[in-house]
Amino acid sequence: MALKAVPICVSFSELGLCDFVQNKKRIPLFSSYRVNVAKLRKWECLGLKLAEPDRAQTHVEGEKTLSPSDLGSNSTDGGIEETQITESSGFHKDLNSLPKPLSATDLVSSGNDGSKVRVAYQGLPGAYSEAAALKAYPKCETVPCDQFESVFKAVELWLVDKAVLPIENSVGGSIHRNYDLLLRHRLHIVGEVQLIVNHCLLGMPGVRKEELKRVLSHPQALDQCEIALNKLGVVRVNAEDTALAAQIVASEGIRDTGAVASSRAAEIYGLDILAQTIQDDLDNITRFLILAREPIIPGTDKPHKTSIVFTLEEGPGVLFKALAVFALREINLSKIESRPQRKRPLRIVDDSNKGSATYFDYLFYIDFEASMAEPRAQYALGHLQEFARFIRVLGCYPMDTAL
């Protein structure tokens, strides 16, 4: 059966890059998105904003054409006032010495000897994302960013080597914002990290948990500790990040306010752990993705996982047929996620019982347990082209089997 030509983005181990295959012609995916690395320079003035290059450059992992640059102290945008942290009398940690998060519009760099892997994450020091980065690269230099978008940009602009991104939680479910960003940016998934989340109740030194009237944390963390917080009868206040909640409590020095965060956040910000493991579900695990500018060469020496995204042609049973290409080759699907297309959210179907009907048009994200180095995975994607308008391989990477 002849295969219908559709756009498909696949990481070929022979080429080491990602191409679109369409109408039997291979077009370099990054052909219109390049920049000369030689034009990149070092910025030594800490207040100077980094001008984002017009094009991003592809680079084969392992080449030593450019060492990633350090991230200096960042200044905020002119229209946004930076929050100033003042040290209270009862607080013995120097918060000003902690690295400040990058913003998407304010990225600066300085020299670096390249001796460490630099890993970007969203949040402040002590966040669970930082713990995931340290689990993946124990000797890495972690770089905090204020938004998920900033994490992607830090990698794309060669300011860091890798990024760690939360993608789903066993209690809270998928993080849809990050699924959308995976498609919007051209980074590749090169690994995954599964991290056990242990929420702790933190407070100022010498404070008992019964004295607390308010507790700050990320909304999901507060929801995951609902039983324990209800017993205390405290008012729950939302914060953008668990580590930020700990920083606020420490910097303001209010004794009747606590935070839900990690034990590492307590150590960093000089807070006491008033209670440990306060989450409702003890088996609370977050899965993180490791992102890089270039894909890794897939192998078969260890269990691998491949992540793809695709859209389907219209017709009865098309989704069933798409999933069957994996079942026919005994490939296990470990994750299925659907997201409405933003640029074309609706489609019209003419075969409904009462004439035309309008439905959402979806993108389907799938993780399957097979390496792209295996013929069965290649055949499955080739078969999927019969039903798909678009396919993109987000990454093929080793599975994280240890908690």
Side-chain angles (χ1 to χ4, degrees):
M1 179 184 295
L3 299 181
K4 178 167 49 179
V6 298
I8 174 171
C9 178
V10 182
S11 301
F12 294 95
S13 59
E14 298 89 352
L15 299 178
L17 49 84
C18 196
D19 288 356
F20 273 121
V21 177
Q22 187 173 16
N23 297 328
K24 298 182 181 180
K25 294 183 180 179
R26 182 169 288 113
I27 306 171
L29 180 61
F30 294 94
S31 60
S32 61
Y33 201 56
R34 296 180 180 273
V35 69
N36 189 351
V37 179
K39 294 182 180 179
L40 294 179
R41 52 191 174 83
K42 299 180 180 179
W43 291 265
E44 297 180 354
C45 178
L46 297 181
L48 182 63
K49 287 189 177 182
L50 174 65
E52 183 176 344
D54 297 332
R55 304 263 196 265
Q57 168 178 321
T58 60
H59 179 69
V60 178
E61 193 167 299
E63 289 186 359
K64 299 181 180 180
T65 57
L66 180 66
S67 296
S69 299
D70 277 342
L71 299 172
S73 301
N74 61 312
S75 59
T76 56
D77 190 26
I80 302 176
E81 183 179 355
E82 184 178 6
T83 303
Q84 298 294 328
I85 302 300
T86 57
E87 192 170 337
S88 64
S89 58
F91 182 63
H92 303 289
K93 297 282 184 179
D94 184 8
L95 295 182
N96 293 322
S97 65
L98 295 173
K100 296 180 181 180
L102 295 171
S103 65
T105 58
D106 191 15
L107 297 170
V108 296
S109 64
S110 59
N112 179 35
D113 59 7
S115 60
K116 292 183 178 180
V117 175
R118 293 168 60 82
V119 183
Y121 67 95
Q122 188 276 328
L124 293 176
Y128 291 107
S129 293
E130 185 189 35
L134 292 171
K135 179 183 177 183
Y137 304 98
K139 296 182 180 180
C140 74
E141 178 183 351
T142 57
V143 180
C145 299
D146 64 345
Q147 301 292 336
F148 289 126
E149 183 80 24
S150 303
V151 175
F152 283 86
K153 287 183 176 294
V155 181
E156 291 172 338
L157 296 177
W158 292 76
L159 299 176
V160 296
D161 305 296
K162 301 286 193 298
V164 169
L165 190 77
I167 198 66
E168 60 181 332
N169 177 263
S170 59
V171 178
S174 298
I175 303 176
H176 297 137
R177 168 67 175 167
N178 289 339
Y179 274 104
D180 295 338
L181 289 173
L182 282 174
L183 188 61
R184 186 178 305 171
H185 293 267
R186 290 296 181 184
L187 299 183
H188 302 269
I189 305 173
V190 297
E192 67 175 359
V193 178
Q194 298 187 87
L195 184 72
I196 297 178
V197 176
N198 180 21
H199 290 310
C200 299
L201 181 62
L202 312 182
M204 291 296 295
V207 173
R208 296 181 297 108
K209 63 181 181 180
E210 291 78 15
E211 301 178 40
L212 298 180
K213 296 180 180 179
R214 291 177 298 276
V215 172
L216 280 66
S217 195
H218 188 276
Q220 281 197 5
L222 295 174
D223 291 341
Q224 293 169 9
C225 303
E226 183 176 4
I227 296 176
L229 297 179
N230 285 343
K231 288 182 179 179
L232 290 176
V234 294
V235 176
R236 286 172 277 186
V237 181
N238 292 339
E240 293 184 2
D241 182 67
T242 56
L244 176 61
Q247 186 190 70
I248 292 174
V249 171
S251 61
E252 295 185 359
I254 305 176
R255 297 180 63 83
D256 63 355
T257 302
V260 175
S262 66
S263 58
R264 187 169 184 271
E267 180 182 353
I268 291 175
Y269 300 105
L271 299 177
D272 283 353
I273 299 178
L274 309 183
Q276 295 195 47
T277 317
I278 64 172
Q279 62 265 23
D280 300 343
D281 297 296
L282 298 181
D283 295 328
N284 188 350
I285 301 172
T286 298
R287 177 174 170 247
F288 297 82
L289 299 178
I290 305 172
L291 306 176
R293 288 179 292 274
E294 297 298 329
I296 60 174
I297 298 177
T300 57
D301 56 331
K302 60 179 67 175
H304 273 63
K305 185 181 294 184
T306 301
S307 298
I308 65 173
V309 57
F310 59 90
T311 59
L312 294 173
E313 297 284 359
E314 177 52 42
V318 176
L319 180 57
F320 169 79
K321 295 175 183 177
L323 299 181
V325 306
F326 301 99
L328 291 173
R329 294 164 179 87
E330 298 185 347
I331 298 176
N332 183 46
L333 302 182
S334 59
K335 172 72 175 179
I336 302 176
E337 186 75 31
S338 62
R339 297 286 295 147
Q341 293 199 57
R342 292 190 175 187
K343 293 185 178 179
R344 193 183 67 178
L346 296 177
R347 56 184 171 87
I348 299 177
V349 181
D350 295 324
D351 57 355
S352 61
N353 293 332
K354 297 181 180 179
S356 299
T358 302
Y359 299 99
F360 275 144
D361 201 3
Y362 288 97
L363 290 161
F364 297 96
Y365 294 81
I366 284 182
D367 294 341
F368 62 85
E369 296 178 0
S371 171
M372 284 298 296
E374 300 179 60
R376 59 173 183 157
Q378 299 171 16
Y379 293 147
L381 291 186
H383 194 176
L384 182 59
Q385 293 182 65
E386 297 183 27
F387 321 107
R389 295 195 301 263
F390 161 79
I391 304 174
R392 178 179 164 192
V393 176
L394 299 173
C396 180
Y397 48 93
M399 296 173 56
D400 184 13
T401 57
L403 288 176

